[in-house]
Amino acid sequence: MDPQALTNLFSCTFSSDPNVQKRAELEIRKLGGQEGLVTTVLQIIGNDNVDPATRQAAAVYLKNRVYSSYFVDTNARPDQTPIPPSDRNNLKVSILPLIATSPSRAVTVQLAGALKNVVARDFPEQWPTLVEDVKKLLASSSVNEVHAGCVTALEMVRAFRFRQNNDVLPKLVEGFFPTLVTIATQALSNAPAGPSQEVPTILHLILKTYSTSIILHLSPHQQSSESLVPWGRLLFQVVNLPIPKEAVPEDEDDRERSEWWKAKKWAYKILGRLFHRFGNPSQLPSSLQKDYAAFATHFVTNYAPEIFKIYIQQVELFVSGHAWLSKKCQYRIFTFFTECVKPKSTWGLLKPHFETLLSSYVFPQLSFNPTKQEQWDSDPIEFVRTTVDEFEAYDSPVSAATSFLFSLASNRTKTTFLPILGFINRVLQSKPAAPQRYGALNMTAALGPFIMRHPDVKGNMEQFMIQHVLPEFAAAEPYMRAVACEVLGTIVKAGFKFSNEQHLSQHFTAVAAAIDDPELPVRVHACLALTELVTDSETIKTAVAPQVGKVIQTLLKLSEETDLDILNHCMESMVETYQTELLPVAAELTARLCETYVRLAKESQTADEADGVDLDAIMEGDANEDKTFAAMGVAKTISTVVTAVDSSPEILAQIQEIIIPIVVLTLENKLLDLFDNMYDLVDALTYKLRSISPNMWPVFELTYKLFKADAIDFLDEMLPSLDNFVSFGTEMFKARADYRQMVLDIYQTATKSDHLGENDAVNGCKLAESVLLNLRGFADDALQPIVVTAFSTIKKINTKALQVANNDVLVNAILYNPAATLHILEQTGPGTARAFFDEWFAAINNPSLLPRVHDKKLSILALCALMEMDPANVPESIQEGFHGVVSGALKLFQEYPKAVQARKELEEAFQNDSDDEGEEDDSKYLNLNEEDDDVWDEDSAYVEMLANEGQRLREKSARVAAGEEEEEEEEEEEIEEELGYISPLDTVDPYISFKQALTSFQMKNTQGYQMATTSLTPDLQTFLMEVMRIAEEHTTQVAAQP
């Protein structure tokens, strides 16, 4: 491999000419599989005579090559060529020296990424010398080599951070961490005051390594005093360290990103993690008690009070202006204080300070400050996003301050709630400047759900609104108008109702005016508030009705400007509320929504194509997710429109033609994240219209192609639409053998593919059922493959759900054509028909294997079809027991009314649940009965559940790894009725069908009929007469119908 030629290719990859860039990338890809290429790339990265940009391009290539192809399993893609062994060896020999001599941080990051993937594959078995190599680097007198040792130690820990039950990480911790804490302590004691980055960078790497090691577990070594004491001392030193101004940039954003403040951030994070995950005995899940109970007791007694004391000191320095704190550090401080609320021991520390913290630290965070003003002016959309969605900037100090406020109010209600509200009232009554009034109302909005659930407070809210909120709608400061809307919307959503109609009218008038406010955040908050008023008040609903078109247009415009998902919820609510009023403009509204969807989908796709696949990038979040989630929200709003206009088939058909192109666009471009939403739309449209339009058939063809390629895992999402295509497009399937073959192929793939599970097989069975039920007499070409596939599936069944579904397929085949199905079964092998009948009648005798109304009715009708057969077509292997068809049907009739009644009760319960939606348990908001004991709430119980489930899965994994056979102890869930399921059998009366079949049986097969009826038990003979009476009654009722 010519190093110069390869160097030239890498230098062309960042050419300003896209054609040159593309040619170079393709050429490098062609060379990728050649032995010696990786070795040459390593030489380029280490060559000081090559320009830095080219070395960086080579390092990026190396990282990506190692990530995709260092190890390739048997299911490799065609473009994956494994790195040859000689190159792998050279990589392991060269990579540590390259990190030590790296020309830039950008190159180091790429080399570190490659190193982590090599470690994950080869360490320790294939790289036994690595630990000693790292120890030599850490013991070096060269700062660059120590830095390389720290980088390598971090990547080794990262490679094993998520491994359960492995002994590698504890050994790395015990081997490296005593040296790392010594290096960090010495570096801290000799830290230069100037701008040099060597010490803080090494400190940052060491603390990040410790933090990474405790994501899942705290090793026995880390729990020991031998480790905890020096690390604890180091962490406290870093937190307390005053950083000279000359050591960090003057700009606050740059300072936030500086190495010194990164080091501080990791110190805060470690202390918080040690307490939250391992050192808080009152909240420690039971499954972790064995490993951490002793440590937790020690930590909460000896370390938590010191952490609290230091954090209080840091806050005092910050609020007094004597020290600066980065936003990430403030977030960690607030998070620690929040964790201190529930345990009795730490609440005792926090309780005397909470009012001071509230007024001096929480309140300034929630007040309007220059940072918020700058964001309002420069990026009002982002301002709204972070104020409306509490999870949008979850790691900000504002979000953490709000969470702290929530925790105080909900967990220590008796002690804190009234003092908090008293503070808000004092601020507002003192008539301060607008920024402080904003802070008080912002706190009110945050606490709205709590206020409206407190028996001593909620009655005062109307007076509060008139006195403190209504005047702010006319404030000169736009942010005051916005927060006034937010307070109103929040408390109305939480259950507040005006007792005075004039007060309601005044607030409605103010909100209506705010919808036309010149400032975007005000308009957004006004729309949110109006939505809540419309939902809550019939008076407002009636008042808005004449103007709902304008409101929807405003919402659409705002949604297009901001891509805020919450506006989609507003639109959904408005569409649901004003279905009749919006019918004339439904098509126009849908077209606008589809335009927005297309834009978001394309922007999402463009961002996806630009991003590489990297676990760490995924974990840190992706800004592109905003576009995807926004597109999902718009699709959901379109679904709401579809539901709203289903009373008008003409408009619905018109809307369908507008929607189909966005479905095709999504499927053709394989936007997998949006498939669920698109198939929901296809399902809704085809189901509500009960027909398939010509333009919808390409969606069916695309669905088949995708299932056979990129979207094989999406059968669950595709099934309702596929079923509708078969059910409502029967004429097309009768005419198109290729369409029937596509559906058959999906069924066979779903049941046979090793890539898919039993749930997919169940879905495949449902599709096969749909074909046999809807294409009676027109699916003869599919009957044999369906029967053969279903019979072969019997041996692979592990769940009751698949047993029932597969049985239904074979029973459907009997109903479709009993003679042909029995013949196919006999051709499959001697005694096959008898084996199926044994399976079937075992299910008939076991109600749990035919649990639903559909299962029972299907089997009754299939048994009826057998009774009507020509006796000459009954295979010899089942002739002996053939008379059992009558007793089998009667046994099903005994259970059938119970199943019908159970289905009816389920429908009623479902309706009642729908009516009760939105009702929340007040106890999760307020703890009115507490003393100062430990608090165990819904969040604590959730963490307990997750920890216990994780423990169970780890134990199961360990048993499997040890070769122990797993016994399925879990009971399978009962198979419940599918209330939305419709089939051609719904209109068939099983009693009338049975009577007709029995008459036919008597005429066609007299001997069989006599044997079938005389062999009945006395009880079944009596029951037969009852079934015939009911059948006669139903026949009379049908005849009487017009």
Side-chain angles (χ1 to χ4, degrees):
M1 186 68 61
D2 180 3
Q4 188 56 53
L6 189 57
T7 301
N8 293 339
L9 285 174
F10 278 123
S11 67
C12 289
T13 60
F14 49 88
S15 167
S16 57
D17 184 339
N19 294 320
V20 172
Q21 182 181 336
K22 194 71 178 174
R23 279 197 301 272
E25 289 171 353
L26 290 172
E27 190 62 31
I28 292 170
R29 194 173 299 170
K30 282 182 193 173
L31 298 171
Q34 290 188 18
E35 186 168 5
L37 180 84
V38 168
T39 302
T40 307
V41 171
L42 292 167
Q43 291 169 3
I44 294 169
I45 296 169
N47 189 341
D48 289 336
N49 295 320
V50 175
D51 71 276
T54 302
R55 294 168 76 180
Q56 184 177 336
V60 170
Y61 171 81
L62 178 70
K63 186 194 81 168
N64 292 335
R65 180 86 171 96
V66 170
Y67 177 82
S68 64
S69 305
Y70 188 78
F71 175 85
V72 179
D73 61 21
T74 52
N75 297 319
R77 301 191 309 268
D79 61 329
Q80 278 185 302
T81 307
I83 295 175
S86 61
D87 278 335
R88 287 199 237 174
N89 290 333
N90 287 335
L91 175 59
K92 285 184 281 193
V93 168
S94 305
I95 196 161
L96 298 193
L98 283 176
I99 292 172
T101 57
S102 170
S104 67
R105 184 179 183 278
V107 170
T108 302
V109 167
Q110 303 302 325
L111 291 172
L115 172 65
K116 184 187 72 171
N117 287 299
V118 176
V119 169
R121 287 293 181 186
D122 280 3
F123 183 78
E125 290 84 2
Q126 306 300 317
W127 202 352
T129 62
L130 181 57
V131 169
E132 289 307 313
D133 292 342
V134 175
K135 286 183 177 179
K136 287 176 186 173
L137 290 172
L138 293 174
S140 171
S141 57
S142 163
V143 172
N144 289 341
E145 291 191 350
V146 172
H147 177 267
C150 291
V151 169
T152 308
L154 171 59
E155 296 307 323
M156 292 175 75
V157 169
R158 292 178 79 194
F160 292 93
R161 62 189 150 163
F162 296 126
R163 303 275 182 98
Q164 298 281 8
N165 301 324
N166 81 88
D167 59 352
V168 175
L169 187 54
K171 287 179 180 176
L172 291 177
V173 166
E174 196 163 356
F176 290 152
F177 280 30
T179 305
L180 291 175
V181 74
T182 302
I183 292 171
T185 303
Q186 290 173 351
L188 199 59
S189 63
N190 299 317
S196 170
Q197 296 298 295
E198 290 175 351
V199 168
T201 300
I202 287 175
L203 195 60
H204 162 206
L205 288 169
I206 289 173
L207 293 176
K208 187 174 181 179
T209 304
Y210 191 99
S211 178
T212 306
S213 74
I214 59 173
I215 288 175
L216 292 181
H217 305 290
L218 191 68
S219 71
H221 172 75
Q222 287 168 307
Q223 294 181 49
S224 69
S225 295
E226 176 190 353
S227 172
L228 192 60
V229 170
W231 279 101
R233 188 183 300 119
L234 172 67
L235 294 168
F236 291 152
Q237 284 179 320
V238 174
V239 168
N240 278 322
L241 180 69
I243 301 173
K245 285 185 178 180
E246 58 271 20
V248 289
E250 190 171 336
D251 180 80
E252 287 197 2
D253 289 337
D254 292 339
R255 200 184 314 168
E256 184 100 25
R257 291 187 290 269
S258 69
E259 291 295 325
W260 274 118
W261 280 101
K262 283 182 181 177
K264 275 185 168 277
K265 173 193 76 174
W266 287 108
Y268 278 106
K269 184 174 182 180
I270 292 166
L271 289 170
R273 183 68 176 173
L274 287 171
F275 179 61
H276 166 69
R277 170 79 174 172
F278 310 107
N280 185 348
S282 82
Q283 304 295 310
L284 192 67
S286 55
S287 59
L288 301 181
Q289 292 282 346
K290 179 183 174 185
D291 291 330
Y292 304 116
F295 173 82
T297 302
H298 175 67
F299 192 88
V300 81
T301 304
N302 297 292
Y303 284 84
E306 188 63 23
I307 297 172
F308 183 83
K309 176 184 168 186
I310 290 172
Y311 283 14
I312 286 287
Q313 289 170 352
Q314 292 300 310
V315 169
E316 288 171 350
L317 289 169
F318 174 71
V319 300
S320 65
H322 291 101
W324 185 82
L325 279 173
S326 73
K327 291 176 183 176
K328 290 284 191 269
C329 293
Q330 291 187 65
Y331 163 73
R332 293 293 170 191
I333 290 172
F334 271 124
T335 303
F336 178 77
F337 286 158
T338 302
E339 294 289 340
C340 288
V341 173
K342 287 194 281 189
K344 179 181 179 180
S345 57
T346 48
W347 171 240
L349 301 172
L350 177 61
K351 185 177 178 180
H353 297 274
F354 88 86
E355 290 191 72
T356 304
L357 286 171
L358 179 74
S359 60
S360 65
Y361 196 36
V362 174
F363 179 63
Q365 296 288 351
L366 300 181
S367 296
F368 204 82
N369 53 33
T371 303
K372 289 187 176 73
Q373 183 67 62
E374 182 184 351
Q375 189 179 48
W376 180 291
D377 294 335
S378 64
D379 194 350
I381 294 172
E382 191 59 26
F383 178 88
V384 174
R385 197 185 304 279
T386 53
T387 54
V388 167
D389 184 356
E390 62 193 56
F391 300 110
E392 184 64 35
Y394 73 93
D395 59 349
S396 72
V398 174
S399 172
T402 307
S403 296
F404 178 51
L405 193 62
F406 288 166
S407 188
L408 288 172
S410 61
N411 293 304
R412 301 293 177 183
T413 311
K414 186 176 176 183
T415 303
T416 68
F417 197 59
L418 293 180
I420 291 171
L421 298 185
F423 170 76
I424 292 171
N425 273 312
R426 285 194 301 276
V427 170
L428 292 172
Q429 285 166 3
S430 68
K431 307 291 183 188
Q436 285 70 48
R437 300 203 311 276
Y438 177 91
L441 291 181
N442 198 8
M443 289 174 72
T444 306
L447 293 172
F450 301 87
I451 291 170
M452 291 311 302
R453 286 168 173 80
H454 197 291
D456 300 335
V457 177
K458 60 183 179 181
N460 302 325
M461 278 310 291
E462 188 158 354
Q463 182 59 36
F464 180 91
M465 295 297 294
I466 293 297
Q467 186 176 349
H468 298 301
V469 179
L470 186 60
E472 300 296 359
F473 282 99
E477 300 83 5
Y479 56 84
M480 293 308 302
R481 304 195 293 272
V483 79
C485 292
E486 186 178 5
V487 172
L488 176 61
T490 302
I491 66 160
V492 169
K493 185 177 182 179
F496 172 74
K497 293 184 184 298
F498 286 97
S499 61
N500 183 309
E501 282 290 320
Q502 184 183 354
H503 293 165
L504 172 61
S505 176
Q506 287 174 313
H507 283 81
F508 167 60
T509 303
V511 169
I515 284 178
D516 294 321
D517 197 279
E519 299 284 344
L520 183 142
V522 181
R523 297 198 298 275
V524 172
H525 280 290
C527 287
L528 299 178
L530 182 63
T531 303
E532 298 302 336
L533 286 170
V534 163
T535 306
D536 179 72
S537 167
E538 281 296 323
T539 305
I540 304 303
K541 178 181 172 183
T542 304
V544 171
Q547 297 295 319
V548 69
K550 180 199 169 198
V551 173
I552 289 290
Q553 291 297 329
T554 302
L555 282 169
L556 275 169
K557 188 168 183 296
L558 280 172
S559 182
E560 289 164 1
E561 286 178 35
T562 64
D563 295 338
L564 286 168
D565 188 39
I566 193 148
L567 290 173
N568 292 318
H569 297 303
C570 290
M571 208 137 24
E572 289 168 38
S573 182
M574 287 291 181
V575 169
E576 287 173 0
T577 304
Y578 296 105
Q579 293 184 11
T580 306
E581 290 84 352
L582 289 172
L583 275 176
V585 296
E588 181 190 350
L589 172 59
T590 305
R592 285 280 297 275
L593 289 168
C594 287
E595 287 172 13
T596 301
Y597 176 86
V598 168
R599 174 179 60 78
L600 291 167
K602 286 181 176 177
E603 288 174 5
S604 169
Q605 182 187 18
T606 302
D608 275 342
E609 288 170 354
D611 291 342
V613 180
D614 182 61
L615 175 63
D616 294 309
I618 291 169
M619 287 179 62
E620 288 170 11
D622 179 6
N624 170 51
E625 287 179 357
D626 288 343
K627 299 295 182 186
T628 304
F629 284 130
M632 289 177 181
V634 173
K636 193 159 178 265
T637 307
I638 296 171
S639 293
T640 306
V641 176
V642 169
T643 303
V645 302
D646 64 0
S647 60
S648 173
E650 298 83 8
I651 294 176
L652 187 59
Q654 188 182 354
I655 282 175
Q656 175 178 249
E657 298 308 309
I658 298 169
I659 292 172
I660 287 173
I662 71 167
V663 176
V664 173
L665 171 92
T666 305
L667 301 185
E668 284 183 341
N669 289 283
K670 300 175 184 176
L671 305 178
L672 300 181
D673 289 338
L674 299 169
F675 274 19
D676 195 4
N677 302 87
M678 291 300 101
Y679 281 114
D680 280 346
L681 281 170
V682 175
D683 175 31
L685 289 165
T686 51
Y687 184 82
K688 291 175 187 299
L689 287 167
R690 298 291 201 276
S691 65
I692 311 297
S693 79
N695 289 331
M696 189 64 87
W697 285 109
V699 173
F700 169 73
E701 295 175 13
L702 268 171
T703 298
Y704 172 69
K705 290 175 186 172
L706 286 163
F707 175 76
K708 295 298 289 182
D710 301 75
I712 191 170
D713 294 316
F714 282 82
L715 184 56
D716 209 38
E717 290 78 7
M718 295 171 172
L719 178 69
S721 300
L722 289 170
D723 182 35
N724 292 347
F725 277 115
V726 176
S727 300
F728 308 127
T730 50
E731 295 307 314
M732 183 68 80
F733 277 96
K734 289 174 183 177
R736 295 280 298 264
D738 57 331
Y739 278 16
R740 296 196 297 275
Q741 181 57 40
M742 287 178 191
V743 174
L744 176 62
D745 188 22
I746 292 172
Y747 162 60
Q748 291 180 311
T749 304
T751 51
K752 293 178 180 178
S753 172
D754 294 333
H755 182 75
L756 299 175
E758 290 213 354
N759 184 58
D760 296 295
V762 170
N763 287 329
C765 290
K766 290 176 181 176
L767 195 56
E769 261 205 278
S770 187
V771 169
L772 294 171
L773 285 170
N774 289 286
L775 303 179
R776 296 281 290 276
F778 292 90
D780 294 351
D781 50 352
L783 185 62
Q784 179 167 12
I786 286 175
V787 171
V788 171
T789 301
F791 191 79
S792 65
T793 301
I794 292 174
K795 306 168 195 166
K796 302 183 287 186
I797 292 173
N798 291 314
T799 62
K800 187 191 291 184
L802 182 54
Q803 185 179 1
V804 171
N806 192 65
N807 184 71
D808 281 354
V809 173
L810 288 166
V811 174
N812 260 293
I814 295 286
L815 178 60
Y816 178 89
N817 188 328
T821 298
L822 293 174
H823 178 68
I824 293 166
L825 285 169
E826 282 299 285
Q827 280 189 321
T828 304
T832 304
R834 177 58 184 267
F836 162 65
F837 266 74
D838 289 344
E839 283 270 338
W840 186 15
F841 275 80
I844 289 171
N845 290 312
N846 183 351
S848 70
L849 294 178
L850 295 174
R852 298 163 300 193
V853 172
H854 172 75
D855 306 319
K856 292 179 180 5
K857 182 189 275 193
L858 175 64
S859 278
I860 289 169
L861 296 177
L863 290 169
C864 290
L866 289 170
M867 292 181 210
E868 294 177 316
M869 273 181 67
D870 185 331
N873 291 330
V874 178
E876 187 177 336
S877 64
I878 62 169
Q879 285 178 359
E880 182 183 345
F882 192 73
H883 62 276
V885 292
V886 175
S887 63
L890 290 172
K891 287 174 183 175
L892 288 167
F893 272 121
Q894 287 178 323
E895 297 294 326
Y896 183 72
K898 300 175 194 172
V900 171
Q901 180 60 29
R903 180 187 174 93
K904 183 179 177 184
E905 290 172 359
L906 190 65
E907 286 172 340
E908 290 172 355
F910 179 77
Q911 185 58 47
N912 291 336
D913 285 346
S914 298
D915 294 341
D916 293 340
E917 271 183 18
E919 293 183 9
E920 292 188 275
D921 180 10
D922 289 357
S923 64
K924 77 176 185 178
Y925 285 92
L926 301 174
N927 181 11
L928 293 169
N929 303 315
E930 53 95 6
E931 297 299 330
D932 284 349
D933 294 328
D934 291 324
V935 175
W936 184 266
D937 63 1
E938 196 176 75
D939 291 340
S940 309
Y942 182 65
V943 171
E944 168 83 8
M945 181 274 293
L946 288 178
N948 291 343
E949 179 63 10
Q951 181 69 17
R952 186 187 70 79
L953 292 174
R954 284 192 295 274
E955 290 172 355
K956 179 179 178 181
S957 176
R959 288 195 297 273
V960 171
E964 298 176 20
E965 288 191 15
E966 274 294 302
E967 292 183 12
E968 283 294 333
E969 298 176 1
E970 297 176 20
E971 290 187 15
E972 286 191 57
E973 290 184 11
E974 289 298 316
I975 300 171
E976 290 191 345
E977 290 284 350
E978 297 174 5
L979 299 181
Y981 178 74
I982 61 168
S983 87
L985 301 186
D986 292 345
T987 56
V988 178
D989 187 310
Y991 291 94
I992 296 174
S993 298
F994 176 75
K995 180 188 174 189
Q996 293 170 347
L998 195 62
T999 303
S1000 178
F1001 191 26
Q1002 185 178 16
M1003 294 172 62
K1004 289 184 179 179
N1005 189 352
T1006 306
Q1007 184 179 353
Y1009 170 81
Q1010 288 178 342
M1011 188 177 296
T1013 52
T1014 56
S1015 63
L1016 293 174
T1017 65
D1019 287 344
L1020 282 180
Q1021 287 180 350
T1022 304
F1023 185 64
L1024 172 60
M1025 302 306 295
E1026 175 64 14
V1027 171
M1028 297 300 279
R1029 182 193 67 75
I1030 295 171
E1032 189 65 40
E1033 194 177 282
H1034 288 192
T1035 304
T1036 304
Q1037 291 170 356
V1038 170
Q1041 290 175 357

